[in-house]
Amino acid sequence: LYPDEKGYIFSGSAVVDVNNTSGFGSLQNPPMVAMFTYHDMKMEKAGEINYQSQGIAYSLDEGLTWTKYEANPIIKNPNIKDFRDPKITWDAIHEKWLMVLAAGDKTMFYGSKNLKDWELLSDFGKNIGAHGGVWECPDFFPIQVEGTDEYKWVMLLSINPGGPNGGSATQYFVGDFDGKTFTLDESFAKDVKQQKGLWIDYGKDNYAGVTWSNISEVDGRKLFIGWMSNWDYAQKVPTETWRSSMTIPRELGLVKENGHYIVSSKPVKELQNYITKTIKKESLKIDRETIIINKALVDLSKVDISFSLKNLKKDVYTFSFSNDSKNKIQFGINKEDNYFFIDRSKSGNLAFSDAFANKISKAPFTADFDKMDVRVIVDKTSIEIFYNNGKTVMTEIFFPDKPMQYFTVSNANAEYTIENLIINQLNFN
């Protein structure tokens, strides 16, 4: 979608209009319809604030070519400076198209029957959740609570700056939607207020992620992918022929635990299609420091490792990927002060940004436990860690001088056990 006289093309979303409600195609050849943000640079440079508006385009050849709607913009700016990133969803419950839009320090809901004519329904978010920066890239969808017949609506909302470990991050909200207004669940509202935001990923490098549209009902999953970087340093990363990558696609879930709602996130099952080698160990006693596996057995630059920890005491449990160049990316569990962590202060090239490794990233936990399930995926220059079936997730990038060669575990004092260790070699070529 190229810029035109109305402005540059900023991010948005696309759907397949299966029933041809827009009239752009037919039932036999349903159109893809994309909504995007127009960004008028001339208006912005002139000091005006209403330089962003929303337009649509359609495709009749599965996205190869696009035709912009002649009546663009379909939603004009109501005098809001940051007015962008429309996410369209078909609301099957209320039988209409639903769109959520970032609008400064809140989101705005619009409804439509035909994807062309939109009515403002309500807004949400002012003085709710984290507000350390501009709200961006919202998503909004219903999801079934695992193990129940209950459905809740989830909003994903990215913010920059204001993330839990600095820079950009994505928070979430859980509640109910009556077709017009989104209302937070009462218990969730208390959690958000107490914690000043709940986050889909506590690492520094998962931002602006949204879910796929038109997943089949037979499949039924809510699938998500995020941008794996942070605006604190995204334009300075030491790469040459590319800049930035995306997270592993993830399946989102909604769990209710002790009266609290948690959005979980775990790698999609299709990742198993890329496994080329598997090493298993049922039980491994750890005392002080142990090399679990090295480069002679697997290529640790592309690996999916899962295991369980048992008999955890009030101690610090540290895992690391390292190489002979003395680079290491460390992560683990601090059970003395109750947080998960990632430490990339010795991970390789840090000189490009003071914000990249200026502190250890942390994710809090409140429940006491003596068992923990861990899954970690490394793909060359990224690490994605999923604790307890994805109820807590941390994602970060790093830039080592050479590929990682050893996977090591250490702790300060107590002896403990790693169980059900599975190391999967991956090949994405």
Side-chain angles (χ1 to χ4, degrees), residues 11 23 44 46 56 64 72 109 126 130 183 202 206 244 246 282 288-289 292 301 343-344 361 367 386 390 399:
S11 61
E44 183 183 15
I56 57 174
L64 293 176
N72 280 337
F109 292 101
K126 197 173 182 67
T183 305
Y202 282 84
N206 182 2
S244 300
M246 308 299 284
E282 291 186 7
R288 307 299 177 187
E289 185 167 323
I292 296 177
S301 67
D343 181 356
R344 56 186 178 187
S361 298
F386 304 83
F399 300 98

Side-chain angles (χ1 to χ4, degrees), residues 57 61 125 170 203 214 245 249 326 373 390 395 411 429:
D61 55 9
T170 301
N214 296 96
S245 52
K326 297 184 179 180
D373 294 321
T395 300
N411 70 299
N429 297 328

Side-chain angles (χ1 to χ4, degrees), residues 225-243:
I225 195 168
W227 174 56
M228 196 154 50
S229 197
N230 188 305
W231 278 120
D232 271 357
Y233 43 76
Q235 299 181 75
K236 301 176 183 178
V237 292
T239 58
E240 295 177 2
T241 57
W242 55 274
R243 176 171 290 163

Side-chain angles (χ1 to χ4, degrees), residues 379-409:
D379 183 11
K380 291 187 177 179
T381 59
S382 66
I383 185 168
E384 302 176 62
I385 309 161
F386 304 83
Y387 293 103
N388 284 344
N389 207 26
K391 293 172 189 171
T392 302
V393 183
M394 301 187 77
T395 300
E396 298 206 352
I397 57 176
F398 58 97
F399 300 98
D401 298 314
K402 61 188 295 186
M404 295 304 181
Q405 300 168 294
Y406 311 100
F407 179 49
T408 304
V409 57

